């Protein structure tokens, strides 16, 4: 039987694996759901007609079909399989005599299996596949229901119902549960979801739902098992007392009728009796005229006058015997099977009803805990996730109970207080940034009019992306006829860039005022900035030193943007000078010098990458060409007007897009040579 049942169960497992391979990389469409339902339905039909013969009964694992279809693939497929298998089972039992005694129970359990699978798949497992434990549990409980219905539908024939249940229940319950559990394990292995069930889960990785369900299962099982044991003990005692009363009553009746020479001594049909002489010969009763085995006779003589367990004609029984005269004894007995059959039938029925009650309570309580507690915790955690990610306008609004309402209010109040602290901190930071902005602005030249100098016209602007920035410009005289121009761009933005910008500006100005060519100034500045540059920042810089008496400008470029120049009778164009590495990037900088000859009427424009790399909402860059176009549109304008025109052009281009980089420009017009 075990081998045949194992084979039938294995066929279901193989069918499940085959269907998984068929659907694993495809959407389970309506047509596929119908095919799956029909496949499992046919398997249930085959289980009905090719069941395993055992103790004159036919046992099978038919209910695996709708359960596997519904739990592992689609609820509708499970219902389809259940209806096919269940309806066919009823027809076969009613009209073709196939196990007609259990046709109602079998057909009902198979039909219901599909609907149970649907409910569990949707409500309990949330469309996921059940674990091996839950799969075994569901398969076993479905067969428990199957056996329980056999009792319910045969209340007037409990002996036969008990015989059917006693014979079929254990193998059907065990193999149906194993079939689903092995299918679940197989699918977990195939999908890479297999987890060692023995490995202990850390408390922090175990959900409230899992922990609650485990304790609920353990405690409820202990309570129900305890109740069953107490009931079993009481029923055993009651059965023994009934047996004792029956034996003693039959003894008196048989003895009375024997002395009246009645042909029928009036023994109950469930009672075995014998009047036995001193030679162990049977004078009346079971096995008349035969001799009772000596060991049985001696045991009876040792227990005269009391009900005791023993063996009567090879049958384990409860026996009551006593003398009816000097040479004869009357023995009455009931087989242990007869004494306890009703207790055993009640035990099976109570056990099945307890298991079903336990299952309903377990599923209902677990579902309610998920709905009332766990799901609301997830909602709160979802809102907290948004809050911790910076959305302080998120409101926690879970009010399914006073506890959750109180928790929601506490969290919201905490966020309100936090927002107050943040607003206060932001105001302090804003004030400090305004002060930093003022300090940084004051470090840049703001006076562009030189009343005693008529050789040039100059204007510059710096618009940081944040309150403070990393760009800077500078211009100053190192003697009466030599003027230095600097424009630079520090990597990064905000306070760190502003601090590095101040350090860079100070270093360049110090080395320039000490004398030297532009390339020497950049080399010395690079060495000074590189030392102690733990933040690994760098700065691009362009420097020019103009001799106002000759118009010759000595220049050097450390990774900065190309300058734009306009000669008196020409248009603005880029000076594509040779760059060195940015300052502070690495030691041993080798700056490259070059020279520009300016004539009266020439204009020079230098800028940072915030101008050409300004980006609009379509993620397009402003570009060099647009910048040159605006410069050339304003060839005759003052440098102040020209810089403002470029700034306005950039603002129009980027529209509502954020300014991601500092915007710094310096314009110079050579008017005449110094005299």
């Amino acid at each position: 039987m075990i081998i045949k049942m194992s084979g039938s169960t294995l066929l279901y497992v193989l069918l499940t694996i085959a269907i998984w391979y068929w659907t694993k990389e495809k959407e389970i469409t309506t047509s596929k759901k119908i095919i799956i339902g029909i496949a499992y339905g046919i398997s249930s039909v085959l289980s009905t007609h090719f069941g395993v013969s055992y103790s004159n009964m036919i046992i099978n694992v038919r209910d695996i079909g709708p359960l596997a279809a519904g739990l592992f693939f689609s609820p509708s497929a499970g219902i389809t399989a259940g209806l096919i298998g269940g309806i066919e089972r009823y027809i076969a039992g009613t009209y073709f005599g196939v196990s007609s005694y259990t046709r109602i129970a079998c057909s009902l359990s198979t039909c219901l299996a599909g609907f149970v699978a649907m409910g569990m798949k949707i409500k309990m497992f949330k469309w996921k596949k059940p674990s091996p434990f839950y799969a075994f549990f569901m398969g076993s409980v479905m067969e428990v229901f199957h056996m329980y219905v056999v009792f319910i539908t045969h209340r007037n024939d409990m002996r036969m119902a008990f015989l059917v249940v006693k014979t079929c229940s254990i193998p059907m319950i065990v193999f149906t549960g194993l079939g689903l559990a092995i299918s679940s394990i197989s699918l977990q292995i195939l999908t890479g979801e297999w987890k060692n069930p023995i490995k202990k889960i850390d408390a922090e990785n175990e959900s409230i739902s899992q922990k609650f369900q485990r304790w609920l299962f353990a405690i409820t099982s202990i309570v129900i098992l305890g109740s069953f044991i107490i009931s079993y003990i009481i029923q055993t005692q009651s059965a023994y007392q009934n047996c004792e009363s029956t034996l003693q009553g039959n003894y008196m009746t048989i003895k009375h009728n024997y002395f009246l020479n009645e042909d029928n001594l009036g023994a109950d049909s469930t009672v075995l009796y014998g009047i036995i002489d001193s030679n162990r010969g049977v004078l009346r009763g079971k096995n008349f005229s035969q001799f009772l085995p000596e060991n049985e006779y001696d045991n009876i003589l040792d227990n005269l006058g009391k009900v005791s367990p023993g063996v009567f004609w090879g049958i384990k029984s409860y026996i009551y015997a006593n003398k009816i005269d000097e040479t004869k004894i009357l023995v009455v007995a009931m087989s242990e099977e007869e004494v306890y059959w009703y207790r055993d039938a009640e035990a099976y029925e109570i056990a099945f009803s307890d298991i079903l009650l336990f299952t309903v309570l377990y599923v209902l309580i677990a579902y309610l805990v998920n709905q009332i507690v766990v799901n609301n915790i997830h909602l709160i955690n979802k809102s907290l996730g948004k809050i911790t990610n910076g959305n302080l306008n998120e409101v926690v609004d879970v009010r399914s109970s006073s506890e959750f309402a109180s928790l929601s209010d506490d969290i919201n109040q905490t966020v309100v207080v936090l927002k107050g602290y943040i607003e206060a901190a932001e105001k302090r930071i804003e004030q400090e940034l305004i002060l930093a902005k003022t300090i940084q602005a004051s470090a840049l030249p703001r006076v562009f009019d030189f009343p005693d100098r008529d050789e040039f016209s100059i204007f510059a602007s710096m618009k940081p992306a944040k309150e403070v920035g990393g760009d800077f410009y500078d211009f100053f005289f190192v003697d009466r006829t030599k003027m230095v121009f600097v424009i630079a761009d520090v990597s990064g933005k905000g306070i760190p860039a502003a601090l590095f910008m101040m350090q860079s500006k100070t270093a360049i100005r110090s080395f320039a005022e000490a004398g030297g060519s532009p390339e020497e100034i950049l080399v010395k500045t690079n060495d000074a900035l590189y030392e102690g540059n733990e933040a690994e920042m760098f700065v691009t810089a362009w420097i020019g030193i103009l001799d106002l008496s000759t118009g010759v400008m000595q220049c050097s470029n450390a990774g900065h943007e190309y300058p734009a120049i306009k000669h008196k009778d020409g248009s603005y164009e880029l000076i594509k000078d040779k760059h060195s590495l940015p300052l502070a990037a690495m030691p041993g900088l080798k700056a490259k010098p070059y020279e520009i000859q300016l004539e009266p009427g020439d204009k020079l424009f230098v800028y940072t990458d915030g101008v050409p790399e300004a980006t609009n909402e379509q993620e397009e860059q402003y570009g060099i060409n647009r910048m040159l176009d605006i410069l050339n549109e304003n060839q005759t304008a003052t440098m102040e007007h020209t810089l403002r025109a470029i700034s306005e052009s950039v603002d129009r281009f980027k529209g509502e897009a954020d300014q991601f980089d500092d915007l710094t420009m310096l314009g110079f017009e050579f008017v005449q040579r110094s005299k």
Side-chain angles (χ1 to χ4, degrees), residues 43-294:
S43 69
S44 294
V45 171
L46 293 175
S47 293
T48 297
H49 294 278
F50 297 96
V52 177
S53 178
Y54 176 64
S55 297
N56 298 319
M57 303 283 179
I58 302 297
I59 58 178
N60 58 65
V61 286
R62 177 180 51 252
D63 292 342
I64 292 180
L67 288 172
L71 292 174
F72 299 134
F73 298 104
S74 166
S76 58
I79 293 174
T80 301
L83 292 176
I84 291 173
I87 293 172
E88 194 281 335
R89 173 67 181 88
Y90 184 82
I91 294 172
T94 303
Y95 299 103
F96 299 98
V98 178
S99 300
S100 59
Y101 187 82
T102 58
R103 69 186 186 280
I104 295 177
C106 292
S107 58
L108 180 61
S109 68
T110 303
C111 287
L112 187 61
F115 289 95
V116 169
M118 177 187 70
M120 295 295 289
K121 176 81 168 180
I122 297 173
K123 295 297 183 180
M124 280 296 293
F125 304 134
K126 306 297 183 185
W127 295 94
K128 297 179 181 178
K129 294 180 179 63
S131 67
F133 171 79
Y134 278 113
F136 180 87
F137 182 69
M138 286 197 62
S140 300
V141 168
M142 204 65 240
E143 291 309 306
V144 166
F145 174 79
H146 186 168
M147 296 297 109
Y148 185 70
V149 176
V150 173
F151 277 124
I152 297 300
T153 54
H154 295 91
R155 304 305 295 179
N156 58 347
D157 189 13
M158 287 294 289
R159 280 182 179 271
M160 185 62 187
F162 172 59
L163 178 61
V164 171
V165 170
K166 182 180 179 182
T167 304
C168 300
S169 60
I170 300 302
M172 290 179 67
I173 289 171
V174 170
F175 279 97
T176 299
L178 284 176
L180 286 173
I182 295 172
S183 296
S184 175
I185 292 172
S186 300
L187 294 184
Q188 285 189 345
I189 293 173
L190 290 171
T191 56
E193 298 173 358
W194 170 252
K195 296 179 181 178
N196 185 357
I198 302 176
K199 184 179 179 181
K200 185 177 180 181
I201 301 175
D202 296 335
E204 63 182 21
N205 295 324
E206 185 178 22
S207 67
I208 292 176
S209 177
Q210 290 175 317
K211 186 173 292 186
F212 177 83
Q213 290 175 21
R214 186 180 69 249
W215 280 104
L216 174 64
F217 185 88
I219 293 172
T220 310
S221 298
I222 291 171
V223 171
I224 289 179
L225 181 61
S227 173
F228 173 80
I229 292 172
I230 293 172
S231 175
Y232 186 83
I233 293 171
I234 293 172
Q235 288 176 340
T236 300
Q237 187 64 32
S238 177
Y240 177 80
Q241 290 174 352
N242 289 336
C243 168
E244 189 176 48
S245 175
T246 300
L247 291 176
Q248 291 175 349
N250 274 265
Y251 174 86
M252 297 303 296
T253 300
I254 294 170
K255 179 180 177 182
H256 176 75
N257 290 336
Y258 175 74
F259 284 122
L260 292 176
N261 292 319
E262 295 285 347
D263 292 333
N264 184 1
L265 298 184
D268 291 345
S269 60
T270 58
V271 173
L272 306 175
Y273 73 92
I275 298 175
I276 303 169
D277 62 21
S278 58
N279 295 320
R280 297 183 287 109
V282 179
L283 304 177
R284 297 284 298 271
K286 182 174 177 61
N287 295 333
F288 171 67
S289 76
Q290 295 184 23
F291 291 92
L292 188 67
E294 184 177 356

